[in-house]
Amino acid sequence: MTRVRAAAGIILRDKASRVLLVSPTYKDVWEIPGGMVEPDESPADACVREVREELGLSVSAGALLCVDWVPASPPWDGGLMFVFDGGVLTPDQIATIRLSPDELGRFDFIKPERLDEVLIPRLARRVAAAVAAIGRGGVYLEDGRATASR
């Protein structure tokens, strides 16, 4: 039976519709909040747990915005990346963000049209597709790209 790794992320926005990105302390790239799904944990639960651990925020994983199949890239196996809608954060919520110093060095809100300047290409495609899916229904991607009907 095939096994794949799974991770879940969340799109959190400010009132200007900018997307919250985080800078992990253990790598040189920006990401959306989230992380790996643990054994016997749902992607939605993983997302909520990671946001609480990394940012100190209690949010709900709303609508599923996209599922992205990521091909294997040794040493990593292929995987499924889930992205949920976390809604718009209030100024009070933003003020209470507390980064886990072991995991995150900083955060910033980025305009959607600038995602490709900040994120690695595959993640920029995934996040842009997720943002475009808000209020429209989720999409299926492969390596960050929409697939044609098969």
Side-chain angles (χ1 to χ4, degrees), residues 102-122:
D102 295 337
E103 296 193 44
L104 300 177
R106 53 190 279 227
F107 72 92
D108 202 356
F109 286 91
I110 303 297
K111 293 180 181 180
E113 60 269 18
R114 290 196 52 236
L115 291 169
D116 61 344
E117 298 171 22
V118 180
L119 300 172
I120 63 169
R122 174 177 41 219

Side-chain angles (χ1 to χ4, degrees), residues 7-76:
I10 194 163
I11 302 296
L12 295 166
R13 293 161 286 140
D14 66 7
K15 65 181 183 176
S17 297
R18 296 177 302 171
V19 177
L20 177 67
L21 299 182
V22 295
S23 176
T25 57
Y26 50 89
K27 52 178 136 172
D28 294 330
V29 298
W30 286 79
E31 298 183 338
I32 57 173
M36 299 301 291
V37 176
E38 294 181 353
D40 298 320
E41 182 178 49
S42 76
D45 287 345
C47 192
V48 169
R49 174 185 52 76
E50 288 283 350
V51 170
R52 186 178 57 252
E53 290 174 1
E54 294 179 349
L55 301 173
L57 290 176
S58 292
V59 299
S60 297
L64 178 64
L65 298 175
C66 78
V67 175
D68 188 10
W69 163 252
V70 177
S73 178
W76 300 102

Side-chain angles (χ1 to χ4, degrees), residues 58-101:
S58 292
V59 299
S60 297
L64 178 64
L65 298 175
C66 78
V67 175
D68 188 10
W69 163 252
V70 177
S73 178
W76 300 102
D77 293 331
L80 292 171
M81 307 300 149
F82 298 83
V83 181
F84 296 91
D85 187 359
V88 176
L89 296 174
T90 66
D92 287 343
Q93 286 175 303
I94 294 168
T96 65
I97 291 175
R98 298 293 175 259
L99 300 179
S100 170

